[in-house]
Amino acid sequence: MPRVTTIVRKPAVKADRVVDTITLDHEARNRRQGTLRAEGGTEILLDLDMETTINDGDALRLEDGQLVQVKAAAEPLLEVRAENPLRLTRLAWHLGSQHGLVEVTADALYVENNPAVAELVRGQGCTATPVERPFKPERSAHICDHDHGHHHHHGHGHSHAESHSHAHSHAHGHEHHDHEHDHDHHHHDHAHHHEHGPGCGCGHHHHHGHKHDH
């Protein structure tokens, strides 16, 4: 099965190199890897080395230099319009904040046709008309980096929690030791330390110990 590692953009596609065509929906046009079957039967192993969007008219370059041209599939969408441009802008913001997919044109938004999105559209005072057309949603930085960012964030959060837990237990033990030492041998120092001690729970331990001793 021929591998495809390169996308040829539409302006550079040479018609005499095109040996097959393939129709892909927006999800398939944003994939980096997978097995595809073109309309003429050509099987393709997609193996791109970077995130990219394959647009209507672009071509997949086979290892022998031949091309399989891509057509964007028509998909069931909602064409969203509003009399007030502000409503349309606000809706786009809401959809984006929910990581929804939105195609933005000069006078309308195109979104996935599902009940949740339709309800949000109506809630923002916009009209939604079902249409069938190729879907070319915006690919912002946060969508493109979302997968990597998520894993990085997860790892960071985990190590942060561990280091926080470690730091907290260390600090607690340290303060507790100082408390015992100061209280037993330097009562004045203990009172001074208690006054100016950290407020993240340690004060509670001092107070508790102090009451218990007296």
Side-chain angles (χ1 to χ4, degrees), residues 1 11 62 110 138:
M1 186 182 299
L62 305 179
Y110 292 91
E138 299 290 319

Side-chain angles (χ1 to χ4, degrees), residues 2-7 44-48 60-63:
R3 286 171 73 241
V4 168
T5 58
T6 307
I7 303 301
I44 302 161
L45 180 64
L46 194 63
D47 188 18
L48 305 179
L60 310 176
R61 185 182 181 277
L62 305 179
E63 289 170 299

Side-chain angles (χ1 to χ4, degrees), residues 82-100:
E83 291 178 9
N84 181 347
L86 180 60
R87 285 182 174 176
L88 211 55
T89 304
R90 189 179 289 126
L91 174 65
W93 184 88
H94 278 291
L95 288 165
S97 68
Q98 295 178 14
H99 289 221

Side-chain angles (χ1 to χ4, degrees), residues 102-120:
V102 186
E103 179 180 342
V104 180
T105 65
D107 56 355
L109 302 178
Y110 292 91
V111 295
E112 294 175 290
N113 188 353
N114 66 56
V117 172
E119 186 177 344
L120 181 59

Side-chain angles (χ1 to χ4, degrees), residues 26 29-30 53 101-104 110 135-139:
H26 84 276
R29 296 198 312 277
N30 284 288
T53 299
L101 295 173
V102 186
E103 179 180 342
V104 180
Y110 292 91
F135 192 26
K136 299 184 286 292
E138 299 290 319
R139 282 183 59 80

Side-chain angles (χ1 to χ4, degrees), residues 25-194:
D25 63 16
H26 84 276
E27 186 177 353
R29 296 198 312 277
N30 284 288
R31 285 168 64 187
R32 282 177 53 187
Q33 297 176 321
T35 304
L36 304 171
R37 185 182 179 87
E39 286 154 26
T42 306
E43 291 192 336
I44 302 161
L45 180 64
L46 194 63
D47 188 18
L48 305 179
D49 63 354
M50 62 184 291
E51 296 281 351
T52 189
T53 299
I54 307 167
N55 299 311
D56 186 59
D58 290 350
L60 310 176
R61 185 182 181 277
L62 305 179
E63 289 170 299
D64 60 4
Q66 293 182 314
L67 305 177
V68 175
Q69 193 156 30
V70 174
K71 292 181 181 176
E75 301 182 51
L77 304 174
L78 293 175
E79 182 180 87
V80 181
R81 295 177 182 273
E83 291 178 9
N84 181 347
L86 180 60
R87 285 182 174 176
L88 211 55
T89 304
R90 189 179 289 126
L91 174 65
W93 184 88
H94 278 291
L95 288 165
S97 68
Q98 295 178 14
H99 289 221
L101 295 173
V102 186
E103 179 180 342
V104 180
T105 65
D107 56 355
L109 302 178
Y110 292 91
V111 295
E112 294 175 290
N113 188 353
N114 66 56
V117 172
E119 186 177 344
L120 181 59
V121 168
R122 285 194 297 271
Q124 291 297 317
C126 301
T127 60
T129 307
V131 294
E132 291 263 343
R133 72 192 291 279
F135 192 26
K136 299 184 286 292
E138 299 290 319
R139 282 183 59 80
S140 67
H142 84 265
I143 292 177
C144 183
D145 295 334
H146 184 257
D147 191 47
H148 307 291
H150 174 71
H151 289 298
H152 174 71
H153 176 73
H154 176 70
H156 173 71
H158 183 62
S159 61
H160 175 70
E162 281 185 345
S163 62
H164 175 72
S165 172
H166 175 69
H168 178 71
S169 60
H170 176 71
H172 172 65
H174 181 66
E175 296 296 341
H176 184 67
H177 174 73
D178 287 350
H179 163 63
E180 294 296 338
H181 178 75
D182 292 343
H183 183 69
D184 292 346
H185 302 287
H186 303 286
H187 184 74
H188 176 71
D189 289 347
H190 165 62
H192 179 76
H193 181 72
H194 178 68

